[in-house]
Amino acid sequence: METIYLKSLGGAGTVTGSKHLLQTPELTILVDCGLFQGIKILREQNWGPLDVPVEDIDVVLLTHAHLDHCGYIPLLIKNGFKGKIYMTEPTAELTKLILLDSAKLQEEDARKANYHFYSKHHPAKPLYTRDDSERSFQHFYTVQENTAINLSDHIQCEFKPCGHIIGACSVAITCFDKTIIFSGDIGRNKSEVLPINDFFNKADYLIMESTYGDRLHDNTNVNDSLQHWINLTVENHGNIIIPSFAVGRAQELLYMIYHLKKQKKIPHDLPVILDSPMAASATTIMVDYAEYTAVDKIEWASIVSGVEINRDYINTQEIIRDQRSKIIIAGSGMVTGGRVLEYLKHDLGNSRNTILIVGFQAEGTRGRALLNHSHELKIHGSYYPVRANIVELTGLSAHADQSELMEWIGKYKIPPKQIMLVHGEPPALEALRVKIQTDLNLPVKILIKDERVEII
């Protein structure tokens, strides 16, 4: 019998740093290669060695282009990885964009630390540079969805769309006589801009995300909620600030706002400003790969034409000084950095304004603090009172909720021998584990970081 081992190097017991290692007699495969984000104790793990020699990894399979799944790639190359990294075409283009932006931020942080002498390292160095990111691109190999790829004599893989963002996929690895599926991040059953999820229907082992394993999304029509808060804020002569992930969420918001204007449900002349160079570039990629979306290129062009795109940071203060009510979409999605901080410094303290939270907010982030009703927010060393309306629109989440995760498992005609849960905080992991065992009577294990599990 050929023995296979699974080990999570990240994304176990947390929603960040996803890296899942499959050790087989023929290949060692890494599924996802993400950075840790959020609280300091997590971020510090990016600087430590992996629990496996990098040169032992033969192949990387990338499910999608979010930083917590792809952001460690330049370090992997820098530390000695020589193999191929497989992903879909949109994922490849978005990953290049995200890695260059990540490297730029790393370099800027190091420069600031050296200038202000607040790092314990002298000199402070970036985790990786733009050159490191660019060197990693030569390892990228694009694949077609729903097409088997031979990785070695007895190992194949296949990518199948999972609806999280454009190009995002679950990955099935057929290894000798076993089928092991990595869910990646599973999207909603219905999306404004992405096609309906596709599904595998056979697996021996299922490694599955559980971001919202302990909750159900609000069934209120998200377009109605968005319309309500926009109109209420405009009536109060306030601004709508939406911290948004640059890839996926920003484009879905632009689509929805465009249609609310088209249907005359919100003011047609209300300015919509996308203040994020990365989101602007991601929107261009979305248009270029429109065939991977549920929207055609002509409609995407109409959507983009009604948006004021700000690429230059110097213009942000001018936008802030503009007294008109407006919708601002800016990064970062968890309010950990980016231009949204400048808008919050100005608008958080005014009850006329509305801050719309439209995505998952990890522990330790400013976004989570806002959802937890914090009375003040620390930004760039100063505290700002929170008097604006803080509204969470869970219907815009790109992650499936508990019922949708259960439905996803239910698509398997032959139930898996074992389900292993990753990419969730402890309450979500435990709630989903109990739900699966109770309702489906399937064995479930919550993976622990660096624990080696034998696939029997």
Side-chain angles (χ1 to χ4, degrees), residues 199-248:
F199 299 89
F200 291 107
N201 56 29
K202 176 183 179 298
D204 295 301
Y205 296 88
L206 178 56
I207 294 83
M208 182 176 176
E209 72 117 320
S210 55
T211 309
Y212 286 126
D214 60 346
R215 67 185 289 182
L216 301 176
H217 293 317
D218 188 353
N219 286 327
T220 304
N221 185 296
V222 69
N223 283 286
D224 291 346
S225 297
L226 187 61
Q227 172 190 337
H228 167 78
W229 285 105
I230 290 173
N231 286 331
L232 180 64
T233 307
V234 171
E235 287 170 12
N236 291 331
H237 305 288
N239 295 319
I240 302 96
I241 310 298
I242 312 179
S244 177
F245 300 104
V247 179

Side-chain angles (χ1 to χ4, degrees), residues 114-132:
N114 289 322
Y115 182 79
H116 294 287
F117 300 101
Y118 59 70
S119 173
K120 63 183 178 181
H121 302 287
H122 303 289
K125 295 182 179 180
L127 192 60
Y128 52 81
T129 66
R130 286 177 61 88
D131 286 345
D132 293 327

Side-chain angles (χ1 to χ4, degrees), residues 265-282:
K265 292 183 176 180
I266 62 174
H268 186 266
D269 58 351
L270 179 65
V272 179
I273 299 162
L274 182 63
D275 195 348
S276 167
M278 188 163 71
S281 297

Side-chain angles (χ1 to χ4, degrees), residues 24-48:
T24 83
E26 290 186 351
L27 293 174
T28 296
I29 303 168
L30 186 65
V31 180
D32 284 335
C33 191
L35 272 188
F36 286 98
Q37 299 170 279
I39 59 177
K40 185 177 181 180
I41 195 171
L42 288 173
R43 300 195 311 271
E44 286 178 339
Q45 294 183 55
N46 294 321
W47 294 89

Side-chain angles (χ1 to χ4, degrees), residues 24-27 29 59 86 149-157 174-176:
T24 83
E26 290 186 351
L27 293 174
I29 303 168
V59 173
Y86 292 93
I149 302 151
N150 292 320
L151 299 177
S152 67
D153 289 344
H154 299 94
I155 302 176
Q156 289 185 328
C157 71
T174 304
C175 185
F176 295 90

Side-chain angles (χ1 to χ4, degrees), residues 56 64-65 68 153 178 306 345 353 382 394 402 405 410 430 436:
D56 288 354
H64 68 282
D68 61 323
D153 289 344
K178 298 178 180 68
K345 285 194 286 188
N353 301 319
S382 299
T394 63
Q402 187 189 79
L405 292 171
E430 181 60 18
I436 294 170

Side-chain angles (χ1 to χ4, degrees), residues 300-374:
W300 275 122
S302 297
I303 293 167
V304 173
S305 68
V307 178
E308 179 183 335
I309 295 175
N310 179 36
R311 293 181 178 270
D312 194 338
Y313 178 76
I314 200 170
N315 297 323
T316 297
Q317 293 303 321
E318 184 178 334
I319 296 167
I320 289 172
R321 288 191 292 269
D322 184 349
Q323 295 299 306
R324 296 176 299 168
S325 289
K326 51 196 171 293
I327 298 173
I328 304 289
I329 301 171
S332 69
M334 295 188 193
V335 202
T336 53
R339 297 183 187 178
V340 74
L341 296 180
E342 297 302 318
Y343 293 100
L344 292 181
K345 285 194 286 188
H346 184 267
D347 286 352
L348 261 183
N350 192 325
S351 61
R352 294 181 304 173
N353 301 319
T354 299
I355 316 300
L356 291 182
I357 305 295
V358 296
F360 182 79
Q361 305 299 311
E363 180 185 356
T365 63
R366 293 187 185 91
R368 175 68 71 92
L370 289 173
L371 291 182
N372 289 341
H373 310 292
S374 177

